Amino acid sequence: MPSEFDAIAVDLVARGASLGQMMGHPMLKVGSSMFAAYTGDGHLAVKLGRSSSEHAEALELPGAAVWSPGGSGRQFYDWVSLPPEQEDHWMRFAEAARLKV
């Protein structure tokens, strides 16, 4: 697990999230609802809701995109994939996603 995701996970678990796995990758959830996942390509995917201001703001970051798990071409429109170059923004958007669960 990368150090930035690890730091986010420790913080959000202290706020009531739990750490789990999805297709062999670490993810965060509240109850049974996943809100963030560390992807195989080093990105952080966060569920912000496609009509939220946070979703629009996240997509404005260079390299951010609507998440397509595993590069399948199937887009999860409520999710944004944030690249490693945007790690400084990961915590803010992960917390926003946690609060939406």
Side-chain angles (χ1 to χ4, degrees):
M1 186 177 335
S3 60
E4 185 59 27
F5 183 83
D6 188 42
I8 289 169
V10 167
D11 192 348
L12 295 179
V13 165
R15 298 180 199 196
S18 59
L19 189 59
Q21 292 238 333
M22 175 198 66
M23 295 184 280
H25 299 288
M27 62 87 162
L28 291 161
K29 61 184 180 173
V30 173
S32 62
S33 298
M34 184 174 73
F35 67 89
Y38 183 74
T39 67
D41 59 359
H43 290 155
L44 178 72
V46 288
K47 186 176 183 182
L48 297 167
R50 71 185 86 181
S51 62
S52 73
S53 61
E54 294 92 352
H55 189 275
E57 185 181 344
L59 284 175
E60 290 178 9
L61 295 172
V66 171
W67 187 34
S68 175
S72 66
R74 179 174 175 228
Q75 294 185 316
F76 283 29
Y77 292 103
D78 289 324
W79 291 75
V80 175
S81 175
L82 301 171
E85 300 80 34
Q86 300 300 333
E87 280 183 352
D88 291 346
H89 300 280
W90 284 12
M91 182 61 196
R92 177 169 52 109
F93 288 112
E95 173 63 1
R98 183 186 71 84
L99 294 173
K100 293 179 180 296
V101 175

